[in-house]
Amino acid sequence: MNPTSGHPSDRITGSHTDIRRCDRTSGFHPGLPILLVSVLFFLSACRRPEPPAVGDPATDTGLDPAVRAHIGSWVAAAKAQPSDATVRAHLGIALAANGLWKEARSAFQATAVLDPDEPLAPMYAAAALQELSDGPGSLQEFKELAQRFPGFAPIWYRVGEASLRSGELQAADQAFATLIRLAPKESRGALGLAEVHFRRGESAQALPLAEHALRLDPGSKPAFYLLGQILRSLGRTNEARVAIAAGTGEGRQPMFDPWAETAPEEVRLLPGVFQQAEAMSALGRPEGAVALLERIRPFHPHHPGLLNQLGVALNRCGQPQKTLALLDPLSAADPKAAALRITRSHAHAQLGNQEAALSEAREAIHLAPRLAQSHLALANAHLTAENDAEALLALDEASRCDPANAEILLEAATIRWRNLHEGGAAMALLNKALEIHPALVPALRLLVEIQAATGDSEGSQRTQGVLRWLTSRSGERAP
């Protein structure tokens, strides 16, 4: 209820006009209007709901210390400003970002009480219920919210996805169609509707929707994967293999909303921080990975995994001296830690310390002979020393340890072609890599280059056709 609606002073003004017309002999007292105003204001204030209580999960000593400290700061802020919906929402986001879904749901429900016009608060409360394995309950709440906020696109996405999970295809159809109408540039609407058709066995209707989703979001792995399934059902098996490979390894992510943008900043749990740091490095932002890991380091000053991950990020930033300063004491304390040896080998290789790089890699292989990264470190050390033949042997061993890793074969093919000019051997490795990962764009590009250089024009045209088909849908440029 809005405490300012029907303000009592509006009613008093009308009454006061009538009262002034009364004869003083009627028993009217001049101070009565003021008294009435005070009484009505007091009653209105009494009807105003108290802000919901603030829970304090940060008192749980079993929590990760970084999580406990971070959540504790938001709890303190919420207690200091119990009626501030924004602070309560931040508390909920921080709880959710660190996997505390039960507590997050309570915080989002409190936010909804404090700001009943904000659709994200009840939507996230329902999403928390979903994370707590109550699919039917969350779907029901999403549906109710869609009726309350019919113009809010993210809720329709949630209704569609939850309906798909529960097998309610008609509800999903309606939800995704509404999402397309409300947000025509949002790829998830077309992708969701494509899946509805595909599940109904209507692949011909699903195909243009999946292709449209890829045009809206080039490179979307979920869109590629669904496209591959649709193509396979239509008998287009060659294209299907490439599309499925391009779409493997990434699940669907919820539709963007303003609160989702802030969630990564709230992550303090170590696995989540590691995942974010690795993603940043993969996107060419290793300095961001360093900042993330340094932020969490004071809470885990002696955690080997954290320190090693920080060393990897420092290497990627071109700061191998800092890596060695960080990891040398740790490795001395635990000389059997293969991961530390691997990271230090890469640091020494960057610094041109060839013997040290080789020594660390060999020790890592001794400690973890079936770990591909140990052999990759040795290959890297040999490449730094320009020992191509030795590097290829190490890569071959790494591939035996991790036979599903097409990137290792691509690396070996690159050395065969760029350094040793062995076109036939390089093509054999690339073909093997593309059997594992038919959508590996760098391998396709290198194969086109080798085929053209060695006079295999027919093979080059065939490979370029695959590359054009793939890059036209992923937003990349074909050669």
Side-chain angles (χ1 to χ4, degrees), residues 273-354:
V273 173
F274 289 171
Q275 186 178 23
Q276 283 189 4
E278 187 60 35
M280 281 189 168
S281 291
L283 291 171
R285 295 172 52 205
E287 68 286 345
V290 170
L292 276 176
L293 296 164
E294 287 285 15
R295 183 177 69 186
I296 214 79
R297 183 181 171 189
F299 299 96
H300 303 279
H302 307 296
H303 191 289
L306 171 61
L307 296 176
N308 188 60
Q309 188 88 352
L310 179 56
V312 170
L314 287 168
N315 278 345
R316 289 169 173 169
C317 283
Q319 300 179 44
Q321 301 95 331
K322 289 185 178 180
T323 297
L324 294 175
L326 179 71
L327 298 186
D328 281 354
L330 202 61
S331 188
D334 185 7
K336 294 186 178 181
L340 298 176
R341 298 279 187 178
I342 292 167
T343 306
R344 293 173 73 235
S345 175
H346 284 285
H348 280 299
Q350 280 193 50
L351 291 168
N353 302 333
Q354 296 172 3

Side-chain angles (χ1 to χ4, degrees), residues 1-329:
M1 182 175 101
N2 186 345
T4 62
S5 63
H7 196 283
S9 61
D10 295 337
R11 296 191 294 274
I12 293 303
T13 301
S15 301
H16 187 79
T17 303
D18 295 334
I19 288 170
R20 287 194 300 174
R21 294 173 184 161
C22 297
D23 192 302
R24 289 184 180 273
T25 59
S26 64
F28 169 72
H29 191 282
L32 185 58
I34 298 174
L35 177 62
L36 286 172
V37 169
S38 300
V39 170
L40 290 172
F41 181 81
F42 174 76
L43 291 174
S44 175
C46 288
R47 288 195 300 270
R48 191 174 297 135
E50 288 292 321
V54 181
D56 192 358
T59 57
D60 182 358
T61 56
L63 282 178
D64 180 288
V67 174
R68 189 166 66 247
H70 186 59
I71 297 300
S73 67
W74 279 119
V75 168
K79 287 183 176 180
Q81 304 172 75
S83 298
D84 191 319
T86 301
V87 172
R88 200 70 67 100
H90 275 295
L91 172 59
I93 294 167
L95 290 163
N98 292 285
L100 299 169
W101 289 105
K102 182 179 178 181
E103 296 82 356
R105 176 168 166 80
S106 295
F108 291 132
Q109 288 173 322
T111 307
V113 171
L114 295 171
D115 186 1
D117 295 326
E118 171 54 77
L120 285 171
M123 188 185 84
Y124 270 79
L129 197 60
Q130 193 174 53
E131 294 290 340
L132 293 167
S133 301
D134 185 358
S138 64
L139 176 55
Q140 183 58 37
E141 289 191 12
F142 286 140
K143 287 180 176 179
E144 291 170 359
L145 287 170
Q147 298 307 310
R148 279 182 58 199
F149 302 100
F152 191 60
I155 288 179
W156 288 105
Y157 166 76
R158 300 276 185 166
V159 172
E161 277 295 312
S163 297
L164 272 179
R165 291 186 191 186
S166 65
E168 297 183 25
L169 297 185
Q170 185 57 37
D173 187 318
Q174 294 173 354
F176 287 124
T178 304
L179 178 56
I180 291 171
R181 177 174 56 80
L182 293 174
K185 294 184 179 181
E186 169 55 56
S187 67
R188 289 167 181 82
L191 184 60
L193 201 53
E195 183 163 350
V196 171
H197 283 295
F198 178 66
R199 290 197 186 188
R200 287 173 174 163
E202 301 165 351
S203 295
Q205 293 94 318
L207 180 60
L209 286 163
E211 291 178 327
H212 182 56
L214 269 174
R215 285 193 296 271
L216 291 171
D217 184 11
S220 165
K221 285 184 176 290
F224 261 118
Y225 192 80
L226 180 60
L227 177 62
Q229 291 179 305
I230 295 167
L231 289 168
R232 185 168 57 191
S233 72
L234 292 170
R236 295 164 60 175
T237 54
N238 290 334
E239 293 167 287
R241 281 184 67 248
V242 176
I244 289 173
T248 299
E250 183 180 304
R252 293 189 187 179
Q253 298 299 317
M255 184 175 169
F256 173 82
D257 63 65
W259 288 10
E261 186 178 16
T262 67
E265 288 296 317
E266 306 295 337
V267 175
R268 295 296 185 276
L269 206 59
L270 277 178
V273 173
F274 289 171
Q275 186 178 23
Q276 283 189 4
E278 187 60 35
M280 281 189 168
S281 291
L283 291 171
R285 295 172 52 205
E287 68 286 345
V290 170
L292 276 176
L293 296 164
E294 287 285 15
R295 183 177 69 186
I296 214 79
R297 183 181 171 189
F299 299 96
H300 303 279
H302 307 296
H303 191 289
L306 171 61
L307 296 176
N308 188 60
Q309 188 88 352
L310 179 56
V312 170
L314 287 168
N315 278 345
R316 289 169 173 169
C317 283
Q319 300 179 44
Q321 301 95 331
K322 289 185 178 180
T323 297
L324 294 175
L326 179 71
L327 298 186
D328 281 354

Side-chain angles (χ1 to χ4, degrees), residues 341-386:
R341 298 279 187 178
I342 292 167
T343 306
R344 293 173 73 235
S345 175
H346 284 285
H348 280 299
Q350 280 193 50
L351 291 168
N353 302 333
Q354 296 172 3
E355 288 304 318
L358 290 167
S359 174
E360 291 288 346
R362 286 170 179 146
E363 185 60 28
I365 291 171
H366 173 72
L367 294 167
R370 301 307 304 160
L371 185 64
Q373 284 78 7
S374 300
H375 299 280
L376 290 173
L378 182 60
N380 179 69
H382 280 305
L383 277 176
T384 302
E386 299 184 358

Side-chain angles (χ1 to χ4, degrees), residues 296-479:
I296 214 79
R297 183 181 171 189
F299 299 96
H300 303 279
H302 307 296
H303 191 289
L306 171 61
L307 296 176
N308 188 60
Q309 188 88 352
L310 179 56
V312 170
L314 287 168
N315 278 345
R316 289 169 173 169
C317 283
Q319 300 179 44
Q321 301 95 331
K322 289 185 178 180
T323 297
L324 294 175
L326 179 71
L327 298 186
D328 281 354
L330 202 61
S331 188
D334 185 7
K336 294 186 178 181
L340 298 176
R341 298 279 187 178
I342 292 167
T343 306
R344 293 173 73 235
S345 175
H346 284 285
H348 280 299
Q350 280 193 50
L351 291 168
N353 302 333
Q354 296 172 3
E355 288 304 318
L358 290 167
S359 174
E360 291 288 346
R362 286 170 179 146
E363 185 60 28
I365 291 171
H366 173 72
L367 294 167
R370 301 307 304 160
L371 185 64
Q373 284 78 7
S374 300
H375 299 280
L376 290 173
L378 182 60
N380 179 69
H382 280 305
L383 277 176
T384 302
E386 299 184 358
N387 296 326
D388 294 331
E390 295 295 329
L392 286 168
L393 289 173
L395 287 171
D396 188 47
E397 192 60 39
S399 187
R400 277 194 284 271
C401 294
D402 188 2
N405 192 331
E407 299 276 358
I408 298 174
L409 296 168
L410 171 60
E411 180 69 16
T414 303
I415 295 170
R416 291 280 184 190
W417 176 242
R418 300 261 187 254
N419 295 6
L420 303 176
H421 310 292
E422 298 174 354
M427 281 198 290
L429 287 166
L430 289 172
N431 286 327
K432 189 176 177 182
L434 290 167
E435 280 294 318
I436 297 168
H437 190 344
L440 189 58
V441 171
L444 288 166
R445 285 179 171 151
L446 184 59
L447 184 57
V448 168
E449 179 186 329
I450 297 172
Q451 287 170 329
T454 57
D456 184 4
S457 58
E458 184 179 340
S460 177
Q461 289 176 2
R462 186 170 55 250
T463 307
Q464 285 188 64
V466 175
L467 195 53
R468 276 194 298 270
W469 183 90
L470 184 61
T471 55
S472 67
R473 286 158 177 80
S474 65
E476 296 186 46
R477 291 183 178 181

